[in-house]
Amino acid sequence: MLTLHCADVLLTGRGAEPLPGGAVLVDGGRITAVGPYEELGARAPQARVRRWPGLLTPGLVVHGARELLEEAYYPDGQFEADRLGTEPITGAAELAALALTEARRGNSARRATQRLLARGVVAVSGRLTVPAVRTAVARSGLELLPPAAGEGAPGAAPGVSGVRRAVPADPFEGPADVRDAFHGVVAAGGPARFAVFAAAAGSLREAGSAECVATVIGGRLLHRRR
């Protein structure tokens, strides 16, 4: 099915100029065209139209998958919040006290991936060693990338930023240019993988990834803010 995603502004990637009223035409899991909404709408009048407020950009990538997903536990909000709270639990002693089974680690990772999707994240980098965590990432739709340079190096501090982090980690906080957090580009022939933020093109850092309105991976709408 053809779907036409249109936004107030389209930013296709690093170095690209913002396109007001831009749109992305998606067929299955691929992008077939990118351009002004009027042009694409006329080309594919049968397409289902999704209108998004704000800025449509490539999806985001975060580094430190092991620290984010294996070295933090995300409590079940329905069954564990009264005992463990709702914030991620980190620290070797704290995690050991939980006596986590592999199944609980996998469920924790699943909850973490939902938080990532709600931030416009489409990919994580790092080396995962727990099978249930790898399965959770694969099922979420997130792409698992090889570790970034220096990530997980012997003797390195936890996380590429030098501090232990837990989801949600805002991908816009680290890079000097917020566009360095983009994973790939939004282009015809490429994967239908992008995010929409309730922000202007020049205010992504100030708005933060928490202003994510929608996340699309493989043409599927995996997050939509209510």
Side-chain angles (χ1 to χ4, degrees):
M1 174 185 289
L2 288 173
T3 303
L4 186 59
H5 295 265
C6 55
D8 296 338
V9 180
L10 169 64
L11 184 63
T12 58
R14 301 181 185 89
E17 290 297 321
L19 174 62
V24 179
L25 184 62
V26 173
D27 186 3
R30 311 297 293 184
I31 295 172
T32 61
V34 175
Y37 167 70
E38 292 79 6
E39 177 184 319
L40 300 190
R43 182 190 304 185
Q46 76 278 23
R48 176 179 60 181
V49 177
R50 290 191 182 275
R51 300 180 182 274
W52 302 111
L55 179 68
L56 191 155
T57 75
L60 310 182
V61 58
V62 294
H63 305 292
R66 178 172 56 83
E67 291 80 8
L68 290 168
L69 303 175
E70 293 187 345
E71 297 185 0
Y73 179 74
Y74 301 85
D76 186 313
Q78 182 176 0
F79 299 108
E80 298 179 321
D82 56 340
R83 295 185 297 108
L84 302 178
T86 58
E87 294 303 309
I89 298 169
T90 60
E94 290 81 355
L95 293 174
L98 294 175
L100 297 173
T101 63
E102 184 168 332
R104 287 184 70 192
R105 288 181 181 274
N107 289 332
S108 168
R110 177 181 53 80
R111 292 187 288 271
T113 61
Q114 292 302 310
R115 295 192 186 200
L116 286 169
L117 291 168
R119 291 274 183 155
V121 173
V122 300
V124 294
S125 75
R127 185 173 292 106
L128 298 177
T129 61
V130 179
V133 173
R134 291 200 300 267
T135 297
V137 172
R139 289 178 175 173
S140 74
L142 295 174
E143 182 178 1
L144 180 60
L145 304 172
E151 185 178 339
V160 294
S161 64
V163 296
R164 188 174 301 281
R165 301 171 302 156
V167 178
D170 194 327
F172 292 143
E173 291 179 356
D177 186 332
V178 295
R179 291 171 293 184
D180 289 338
F182 292 164
H183 180 50
V185 297
V186 178
R193 182 180 60 205
F194 48 84
V196 185
F197 300 92
S203 63
L204 270 177
R205 191 187 303 278
E206 291 76 10
S209 61
E211 289 301 309
C212 179
V213 175
T215 305
V216 173
I217 299 178
R220 297 183 298 151
L221 183 61
L222 297 186
H223 166 72
R224 180 174 187 174
R225 189 164 75 180
R226 302 298 181 185

